[in-house]
Amino acid sequence: MASRDHGEPVDARSVPPQVAEVAEPVRRPSAAEEARTIVASTNTATLATLTAAGDPWASFVTYGLLDGAPVLCVSNLAEHGRNLAADPRASLAIVASSEDPDPQAWARVTLAGVAEQPAGDEASAAREAHLAAVPAAEHYIDFSDFTLWLLRVHRVRWYGGYGRMDHATGEAYAAARPDPVRPRAAAAIAHLNKDHADSLCAMARTLGGHPDATAATCTGVDRYGLDLSVTTARGNAHTRVGFATPIDSADDLRSATVELAQRARISR
Amino acid sequence: MASRDHGEPVDARSVPPQVAEVAEPVRRPSAAEEARTIVASTNTATLATLTAAGDPWASFVTYGLLDGAPVLCVSNLAEHGRNLAADPRASLAIVASSEDPDPQAWARVTLAGVAEQPAGDEASAAREAHLAAVPAAEHYIDFSDFTLWLLRVHRVRWYGGYGRMDHATGEAYAAARPDPVRPRAAAAIAHLNKDHADSLCAMARTLGGHPDATAATCTGVDRYGLDLSVTTARGNAHTRVGFATPIDSADDLRSATVELAQRARISR
């Protein structure tokens, strides 16, 4: 699913291939799921709108989410408010927070579509959605110069960092859901690497296609499985091991990981 | 200089006015200076470009600075790279990092103009400027699909948080310089509030127009002076006290503040 737009200078040549067959390909979150996960992770974005002259205009905004559709609350007196009122075409860029010192490694997404003023029940739902994500908006959301805008997402571009990127349709984005595990991923990864190095190595050996692994560290967690960085005498490799079934709640992460560790040891 | 685009719900009515005359109005950084300071404070932004259909497209970018002009390094294969090649009109939104939990209080800026591919000496200077700000770009800056773009800034919109906002021209932006004090402002504010509460209160009383101040805390530092939050029996107020001369180096902040404290006590 993920594609590379251009040659990647970081990973070239030296990555050893899997030498044992992996039982079945381990599912990854789709671009639509990755996008929903990033969008659900924060409440700030940059909006691109069109000025009266048709020039692009980038401006900081806050947002809530109504079934994945960003809900903005902007002043009609501000330039982006005037822009939306005159031409509702809009795009939002959202960046997931990251500890990585290289900003190009940060996961981010662009949503493009058309902004609409919600009406009726949707207007009250949009208002609640914005307030839930941006509590300080209570101070201005009911001012007469502020308008709620719902971004109808028509297309999505997801970047997962170097070499990981893909498109998604508005329909796929709307149908996807945020990964329930991702908000706890950093803590889970730290715990696995600190206390369960042996299990991770066993997973890499028996489930991850590297029977000669001497060590493995977890680099990612999502509802479908774990990403592993694997040390072998042939070099350092990356692999992925899958949970028995996708996780629907972060509360199930521990049991799913225990099952994965047990399966890895039995397979040995 | 700063204007209010709409009524501000937070501060209404209860702010007591200055009751003593202030010697002379204390200079504030201009919108152009505020913008240069925000832009100099980070290396990540969101770019707004135009798609082939003329739609706005928001995307995350990194940047360096050449005399205040942002230098981007983007792949021609990425959507924003194709957009710039077809139509160089562009805008950048940049947000200053902040500890404030309310995102609308964060200082931010929009720069709008036209992107150009620098040539000759400017091309090498732009390359160095980008690498200085984004060291990881060494891995891809020389790839054939990457292009340097210099944003010629034509106009600037600065937001300093609630109720503080203004425009600046491209010329004013180019002529301004980043505030040398701002990178150390947080530490200076913490130090003043922890160890020099008496001096701050004296400043509010004798220089800040509130002779009945019972306490004052510093809320902002820039090259021209200090912002103070003042407690009086009449209510809480805000005022500003100015350094004897604008500071040109963060190293001069301590001596300028000491002079201000001495002047406040002498005036008593």
Side-chain angles (χ1 to χ4, degrees), chain B residues 142-228:
Chain B
D142 294 322
F143 275 34
S144 60
D145 63 306
F146 277 84
T147 299
L148 286 176
W149 292 94
L150 195 62
L151 182 68
R152 306 287 184 195
V153 177
H154 294 174
R155 67 187 180 102
V156 175
R157 180 75 169 158
W158 160 71
Y159 289 82
Y162 287 103
R164 297 185 65 216
M165 58 189 75
D166 206 352
H167 291 281
T169 63
E171 292 73 23
Y173 175 82
R177 47 171 289 194
D179 193 297
V181 171
R182 207 64 69 84
R184 296 200 204 162
I189 291 168
H191 168 67
L192 287 170
N193 288 333
K194 180 167 178 287
D195 295 336
H196 299 285
D198 287 352
S199 291
L200 295 174
C201 190
M203 292 176 201
R205 285 182 188 171
T206 62
L207 304 173
H210 292 282
D212 58 343
T214 56
T217 55
C218 180
T219 59
V221 179
D222 54 63
R223 64 187 300 246
Y224 300 112
L226 308 181
D227 291 311
L228 301 179

Side-chain angles (χ1 to χ4, degrees), chain A residues 159-177:
Chain A
Y159 288 82
Y162 287 102
R164 296 185 66 216
M165 57 189 76
D166 206 354
H167 291 282
T169 63
E171 293 73 21
Y173 175 81
R177 49 170 289 193

Side-chain angles (χ1 to χ4, degrees), chain A residues 62 73 130-131 134-142, chain B residues 102 104 162:
Chain A
T62 52
C73 174
H130 190 87
L131 284 170
V134 188
E138 70 170 324
H139 297 299
Y140 51 82
I141 197 167
D142 294 321
Chain B
D102 176 5
Q104 291 290 358
Y162 287 103

Side-chain angles (χ1 to χ4, degrees), chain A residues 105-121:
Chain A
W106 300 350
R108 67 265 193 191
V109 66
T110 294
L111 311 177
V114 171
E116 284 182 20
Q117 294 183 35
D121 288 349

